[in-house]
Amino acid sequence: MRAGVDGDVKTAVVSVLGGAGCDDPIAVEMLTAELWSTDVEVAAEAADALADSTANPDVVNDALAAAAMGRAQLEVRAALVLGWRHDQRALPILEREITKPWTEAYNLNRAPATMLGRLGAPGRAALARVLTQVVAAHPKEPQQWSGPDRTLRSLIDGLIGLRGTPDGDGLAIARRIVQGCAWAEERLEYAVAEREGRRPSYAPPIDPIDPAVRVVPRWGMRLRRVAVAEPGRTTRFGGQPYFPGRPIWPLHPTNRLPLMFLGQIAVPESVAGDGTWLAHVFVYPTMGFDDAVKDPDFGFPVPPTAVIVHPAGLWWGPTDSLRAGPTYPYESPVEWPSEDPAIDRFKPGPQFGFVITQVDLVPGADPIDYTQVAANATTHDDWNKVGGTALSLQGGHQQRLSEGWRFLASWDAWAVGHEMGDVAHCCVWVKPDGRGLLDVDGH
């Protein structure tokens, strides 16, 4: 690595190197050397960057194992990567970690229990030992999402392969351990139902919205992972934007840094425009209130976002003529990918790099108004769609409609790969003059 590069810049370089050079022996050699960087953040990023490397696998595993044993500040990070790579040397460290009180320090998708589940029979045995202890220590149901509850959920996830390849042997072990403990049996049933994409058997049935009142055309979103974005005016998330005319890239109103491209939506003529409109959606990477701005369309400070609808290209803030800029590979470590491998928006492994998601649109219909409809009676396509009737978590869509905005599209933030708050929901609005707006609300 070039001398003089350190800190955040070097961490970013290491991350990009891992994403671009995991099959390159020279890049892998450079990354293994960074495991011993005096900057622990750089070393930890190097460990993550090696997760999916295929060049010199034995050398990589030996380097990670040496770092796990030789650097106290790196042992867990390196062990998680070793677990992802199916290396049994991760076992003692990961087993020790799952016996500790629950901590929020781990991403759910690379928690120690999840990585143990990748170690085959030895990993299942370690998970089973601790699960047995938790069930024995808590015969009565603890408070939901308390430490014991979270620990049990994590152990079950690891055993059954919830966030990876389903493990039938692990499921059989989990069923045997929780048998007779009602609350643990319920948590297992919930995890299995989640993995299979269905409601738990103990959950009450939901009455769907009467098809007779669904009269407003809409298009439900079906997400499809791709390696390369389909060209032209398509609806998708991730990648770089397609510009039908001159490029317009919004900048942060205060620090003038380019906002991050989230996705683009082809605007149906029935919603607005003449069938040629294309809406680009941008967000600020942190989406934090430390960087809040006074957006004229909001009555309070908000994280900077922008919706630029082409060809009008209108936005209140500063812009640049960039054709390419920051997009999703840089904001992956805290995301929640889908458990469905067919539509997973993430590269596997502790890196969890974001990949491009094309959106296939399925014709459907909404009711004229959702005010008389219970939220839990709605379907996936009522929330994730282009066109139709606006639906929001906090009812803010009523204000937008009164201000002359037209509803364009909405989606659950986690579903497209970037959580923006407390299970946030995103709505895009447009006006006849070609202005755009992004609303984000949470529970």
Side-chain angles (χ1 to χ4, degrees):
M1 199 72 68
R2 183 165 62 85
V5 178
D6 217 333
D8 292 342
V9 173
K10 191 170 186 179
T11 301
V13 170
V14 166
S15 178
V16 172
L17 183 62
C22 63
D23 301 325
D24 184 341
I26 296 176
V28 167
E29 182 180 354
M30 296 171 67
L31 289 169
T32 54
E34 292 299 336
L35 293 173
W36 301 96
S37 169
T38 55
D39 187 327
V40 176
E41 289 299 319
V42 171
E45 193 65 41
D48 281 358
L50 287 166
D52 297 316
S53 63
T54 55
N56 301 329
D58 292 337
V59 172
V60 170
N61 286 0
D62 287 346
L64 288 164
M69 292 183 287
R71 299 199 67 179
Q73 292 175 298
L74 199 64
E75 64 171 354
V76 176
R77 194 74 162 261
L80 290 169
V81 179
L82 279 173
W84 174 256
R85 294 172 65 87
H86 304 285
D87 192 300
Q88 299 294 328
R89 285 174 286 187
L91 186 63
I93 296 174
L94 297 180
E95 183 172 7
R96 183 199 68 203
E97 288 299 302
I98 62 173
T99 62
K100 291 182 176 180
W102 174 266
T103 173
E104 296 285 0
Y106 302 116
N107 179 293
L108 290 175
N109 305 293
R110 60 173 176 182
T114 304
M115 296 300 101
L116 272 175
R118 297 178 61 83
L119 297 181
R124 285 194 292 268
L127 291 165
R129 282 193 292 271
V130 181
L131 180 60
T132 300
Q133 295 168 7
V134 173
V135 172
H138 301 278
K140 294 184 178 180
E141 182 176 6
Q143 183 176 351
Q144 280 225 9
W145 302 113
S146 63
D149 184 38
R150 288 177 179 269
T151 297
L152 182 128
R153 291 173 188 264
S154 178
L155 295 168
I156 287 174
D157 290 359
L159 271 172
I160 72 172
L162 177 61
R163 304 179 190 280
T165 304
D167 188 339
D169 292 336
L171 174 57
I173 292 171
R175 287 197 189 283
R176 185 171 64 251
I177 294 172
V178 303
Q179 187 174 10
C181 181
W183 75 274
E185 289 180 330
E186 185 175 291
R187 301 298 189 272
L188 176 58
E189 165 64 13
Y190 181 88
V192 172
E194 183 180 358
R195 192 182 70 184
E196 297 176 353
R198 59 175 175 81
R199 288 174 60 79
S201 59
Y202 58 80
I206 291 178
D207 293 328
I209 298 172
D210 183 356
V213 304
R214 288 187 176 275
V215 295
V216 181
R218 63 106 193 275
W219 295 267
M221 291 186 179
R222 297 293 183 272
L223 307 179
R224 174 167 48 87
R225 170 179 168 162
V226 296
V228 179
E230 294 177 4
R233 184 180 168 275
T234 63
T235 297
R236 61 175 164 83
F237 296 95
Q240 294 291 343
Y242 163 74
F243 292 101
R246 64 187 182 94
I248 301 173
W249 201 291
L251 307 178
H252 190 290
T254 303
N255 60 32
R256 293 303 194 268
L257 292 175
L259 299 187
M260 186 173 68
F261 176 67
L262 172 62
Q264 61 184 43
I265 303 165
V267 183
E269 186 175 1
S270 60
V271 175
D274 57 3
T276 66
W277 286 17
L278 183 66
H280 287 167
V281 183
F282 297 84
V283 299
Y284 194 60
T286 63
M287 289 298 288
F289 284 91
D290 290 341
D291 302 296
V293 299
K294 293 182 178 179
D295 189 316
D297 288 309
F298 294 87
F300 46 86
V302 294
T305 63
V307 175
I308 297 181
V309 184
H310 297 266
L314 303 176
W315 189 54
W316 64 272
T319 63
D320 200 349
S321 57
L322 302 173
R323 282 202 171 271
T327 185
Y328 258 126
Y330 308 108
E331 282 297 303
S332 60
V334 298
E335 310 301 353
W336 293 5
S338 164
E339 286 79 33
D340 184 346
I343 61 171
D344 188 359
R345 263 76 65 202
F346 289 75
K347 297 174 184 176
Q351 273 183 276
F352 290 105
F354 191 80
V355 296
I356 301 166
T357 302
Q358 289 291 155
V359 179
D360 297 322
L361 299 176
V362 179
D366 287 344
I368 295 175
D369 191 353
Y370 282 102
T371 55
Q372 302 301 317
V373 177
N376 65 1
T378 56
T379 68
H380 175 275
D381 287 356
D382 288 300
W383 295 99
N384 300 271
K385 63 190 177 184
V386 174
T389 303
L391 178 63
S392 63
L393 292 171
Q394 306 293 344
H397 61 285
Q398 299 292 349
Q399 178 182 344
R400 296 299 173 205
L401 292 170
S402 69
E403 295 169 345
W405 293 96
R406 295 180 181 178
F407 172 73
L408 170 57
S410 66
W411 62 86
D412 297 321
W414 67 267
V416 305
H418 186 60
E419 182 57 82
M420 299 181 186
D422 184 9
V423 194
H425 186 64
C426 303
C427 289
V428 173
W429 301 85
V430 293
K431 278 195 172 180
D433 63 3
R435 282 183 292 158
L437 173 71
L438 175 66
D439 261 340
V440 181
D441 61 351
H443 286 87

